[in-house]
Amino acid sequence: MVDRYRVWLGAGVLAGGVSAAMLAGAGVAAADDGSSTTSGAQASSGAGDSDSGRDTQTRTTPGSDADDDTSKTDSSESEESEQSEESEESDPEPATRTSGRSRDRTRDDDGGSEGTPPTADDVVDSPESALDEPDASGAVEESESTTPEVSPAGRHHAPEETQLESTTAEVSPAGRHRAPEEALPEPTTVETDLGSSEGAVVMRLAAAEVPPLDPDAPNLLDILNGIGTRFYNFYTNAMHSLAGPVRVPLGSKVRVASTTLTIGDGGTIAADWYIPKGNEQPTGLIYLQHGFLASARFYSATAAYLADKTNSIVVAPTLTWNFFDLENYPLEWPQTGRAIADLFTGDRAALNASAQAAGYAGILPTRVVLAGHSAGGGLVAMVGRYMAELGNTDDLAGVVMLDGVQTLSLMSDDVGKIPLSIPVYNLAGEASSWNWYGDASRRLARLRPGMFTGVTMRGGQHSDAMQSTSGALQMVAYFATGFSSPLDVLANRVLATGWITDMFAGTRTAGLYDGKGSTRHILSSWWWRQLTTRTEAPAARRTYTSSV
């Protein structure tokens, strides 16, 4: 009889422990949701236990301290021990109820389904059938595997055979119950609590799957610059292949050499230098800038003519007209105009170094005339403006635009900053799309009313001033802008060289400033001057001043 009581006692303790663990797990889950949940576990001794009149309830309150949880757990275990002692004196078939969980199973006489070994749940629901099953001889076998163990703290543990991780809750050192690790949700979605350790795992996995940002990813400007640079390089190399090495016309009194010129913050550009032969000191320096879709070689014949007839050194740089290539000083950008203006400040070290590399042994003249064709004409107007802002206009003899055009800067702003004492002229062809239908001439007339601002050649073409020693390049220019008459080309040269000569000398030659602009009138006046100057000393050369 005592052995049977011991079996009953072990079964009751096992049922009470499992029930308390399940209720504690439910309480922890309710506490995580932030709501107050009360769970109870009541154990009775069976149908015949009405005399005791007591049932035990374990209540778990979320948010309590660790000490309270521990005390409540010990209290529940004490009550379970008392209840187990009472069950020895009452009905020998104890019944166990679990709050929040019920099972209705149909079992055979052995406490499990036929052919299926009993599970932990079967042991809880029918302890007698699981723990008091007779062997073949009809005797009840006692062993350590069916005897509950008692921990040093007084807590009861179920036998090892019935302690399954899937149904047994773990107790933390502070007394709080938590579900077994197998029941934790897999951290596979962003719905996981990101403040938990599982959430941190999710964040690390997501960060590993996201590709890193590429700091060197090209932007729109880089893409456009790449396209423009490829086209510029292809076009310019093709034109230079057609032109061959730079050269001057046959019989010219000028020699030419190509070298490089440093501008701005260390930028390097190509430059052609046209230097008069002989020992005579050059009169001045002419900066000649090409236009859009061109290079300095498109103007080799024009540059040589200007150098010869004005006895001046001509420097003709080649700038990229890819205006997305900001690092290499595009043709029309204001930063380029400022960089060129800086060339004429101080000791002009960059200019002198480039000229010496081209074979010029002396120091460059201080007086300078800025000349440019098409978009190059707009650029030299910008350079004159920056020279004025730098206070460096004492050496600026004048500005000559050869059918000038401005796009990225307003000519009114640029020319408006140049002092009125410095002449600014525009030698234009007939109005066309290439010169924005005479926009530069109209602006100059408004900015300097009552002053001579240039000539518009009747019947002139945009390419009159763009003359090359390369027949191939010249044909390319003519096909693009229109074929020029040889007389118009000569008249253009006469006016350009006459204006520049007067700018250096500070004079005004008769027949160059009347503004009629007919080829016949310009060439007849020029021919007459040529006849008279042959019989007169250079000092007796006739000049006049005109307000028009």
Side-chain angles (χ1 to χ4, degrees):
M1 188 64 180
V2 174
D3 293 339
R4 181 175 294 274
Y5 284 158
R6 290 175 58 188
V7 172
W8 289 345
L9 177 60
V13 171
L14 174 63
V18 173
S19 300
M22 294 174 60
L23 292 173
V28 172
D32 289 342
D33 293 337
S35 62
S36 179
T37 307
T38 302
S39 302
Q42 183 177 4
S44 63
S45 59
D49 197 24
S50 60
D51 295 338
S52 62
R54 291 190 305 175
D55 43 353
T56 304
Q57 246 184 350
T58 302
R59 185 180 302 272
T60 303
T61 304
S64 61
D65 295 337
D67 295 338
D68 296 337
D69 293 339
T70 305
S71 63
K72 290 180 180 180
T73 304
D74 295 337
S75 176
S76 299
E77 294 172 351
S78 300
E79 292 178 3
E80 292 171 1
S81 300
E82 294 176 1
Q83 182 178 356
S84 300
E85 293 175 357
E86 292 175 0
S87 64
E88 295 177 358
E89 301 173 359
S90 59
D91 191 0
E93 294 181 0
T96 304
R97 291 185 300 170
T98 302
S99 176
R101 180 179 179 182
S102 62
R103 294 187 179 89
D104 294 330
R105 298 183 179 177
T106 304
R107 294 179 174 84
D108 57 8
D109 295 337
D110 293 335
S113 58
E114 184 176 1
T116 303
T119 64
D121 295 334
D122 297 332
V123 173
V124 173
D125 292 340
S126 182
E128 183 177 7
S129 61
L131 299 176
D132 197 15
E133 184 178 358
D135 56 4
S137 61
V140 178
E141 182 178 358
E142 298 181 13
S143 65
E144 293 181 0
S145 62
T146 59
T147 304
E149 298 178 1
V150 180
S151 65
R155 294 182 176 86
H156 297 276
H157 294 280
E160 293 180 358
E161 295 82 36
T162 59
Q163 291 182 355
L164 301 178
E165 292 183 358
S166 60
T167 59
T168 305
E170 297 179 5
V171 180
S172 65
R176 292 188 176 90
H177 299 274
R178 66 182 180 90
E181 293 181 358
E182 293 77 21
L184 292 176
E186 293 292 335
T188 57
T189 66
V190 296
E191 297 178 358
T192 306
D193 182 11
L194 298 182
S196 64
S197 59
E198 292 81 5
V201 173
V202 172
M203 295 299 293
R204 286 195 296 269
L205 292 175
E209 294 177 359
V210 174
L213 296 178
D214 185 5
D216 298 328
N219 53 33
L220 179 60
L221 180 60
D222 294 335
I223 295 174
L224 295 176
N225 180 32
I227 296 173
T229 299
R230 289 186 181 90
F231 176 72
Y232 170 80
N233 291 338
F234 171 78
Y235 175 86
T236 303
N237 292 336
M239 294 299 102
H240 287 183
S241 298
L242 288 175
V246 61
R247 60 186 182 273
V248 297
L250 292 175
S252 176
K253 299 177 181 180
V254 175
R255 63 181 180 85
V256 62
S258 298
T259 183
T260 58
L261 175 63
T262 301
I263 65 172
D265 297 331
T268 301
I269 59 176
D272 297 334
W273 289 87
Y274 297 83
I275 304 171
K277 297 177 181 179
N279 298 325
E280 186 178 357
Q281 182 67 24
T283 303
L285 175 65
I286 301 174
Y287 179 94
L288 179 61
Q289 185 62 64
H290 65 81
F292 189 69
L293 293 176
S295 66
R297 297 191 184 184
F298 279 79
Y299 302 84
S300 56
T302 300
Y305 188 91
L306 292 176
D308 184 14
K309 298 305 179 182
T310 64
N311 188 39
S312 300
I313 296 177
V314 176
V315 55
T318 295
L319 296 173
T320 177
W321 30 261
N322 171 26
F323 47 81
F324 296 109
D325 190 4
L326 302 181
E327 295 182 356
N328 292 316
Y329 299 93
L331 177 64
E332 298 172 292
W333 276 95
Q335 66 175 3
T336 306
R338 178 59 183 267
I340 295 173
D342 290 339
L343 292 174
F344 303 101
T345 60
D347 59 359
R348 303 182 180 185
L351 281 171
N352 279 285
S354 181
Q356 292 170 5
Y360 183 68
I363 302 299
L364 292 174
T366 57
R367 297 282 286 171
V368 60
V369 169
L370 303 175
H373 174 247
S374 190
L379 179 62
V380 296
M382 189 191 307
V383 173
R385 172 246 183 104
Y386 284 118
M387 291 181 67
E389 291 182 353
L390 292 172
N392 190 31
T393 57
D394 293 341
D395 295 329
L396 180 58
V399 178
V400 177
M401 292 186 289
L402 304 172
D403 212 8
V405 176
Q406 264 191 335
T407 54
L408 297 183
S409 179
L410 293 177
M411 185 172 293
S412 299
D413 295 339
D414 294 337
V415 176
K417 298 292 181 63
I418 300 175
L420 295 177
S421 60
I422 298 175
V424 180
Y425 304 150
N426 184 39
L427 179 54
E430 288 281 0
S432 66
S433 59
W434 285 101
N435 60 13
W436 283 26
Y437 300 97
D439 179 72
S441 297
R442 290 193 301 269
R443 289 180 183 274
L444 283 175
R446 287 196 300 266
L447 290 170
R448 299 188 169 198
M451 299 178 64
F452 178 79
T453 57
V455 172
T456 299
M457 299 288 297
R458 283 177 283 206
Q461 298 291 335
H462 188 65
S463 56
D464 288 348
M466 184 168 55
Q467 298 297 311
S468 175
T469 55
S470 169
L473 287 186
Q474 196 61 59
M475 293 303 296
V476 170
Y478 281 163
F479 275 115
T481 62
F483 285 79
S484 297
S485 166
L487 292 178
D488 290 340
V489 172
L490 180 59
N492 189 281
R493 289 179 174 180
V494 166
L495 288 178
T497 55
W499 291 347
I500 292 174
T501 299
D502 285 345
M503 288 176 179
F504 282 134
T507 59
R508 290 175 71 93
T509 302
L512 299 178
Y513 304 92
D514 56 10
K516 292 182 179 180
S518 76
T519 302
R520 181 183 60 83
H521 177 77
I522 293 171
L523 291 180
S524 63
S525 299
W526 170 78
W527 179 76
W528 179 254
R529 288 194 303 274
Q530 296 296 316
L531 290 177
T532 57
T533 55
R534 290 177 183 176
T535 59
E536 297 177 0
R541 185 180 180 186
R542 295 178 297 175
T543 60
Y544 78 103
T545 302
S546 174
S547 60
V548 180

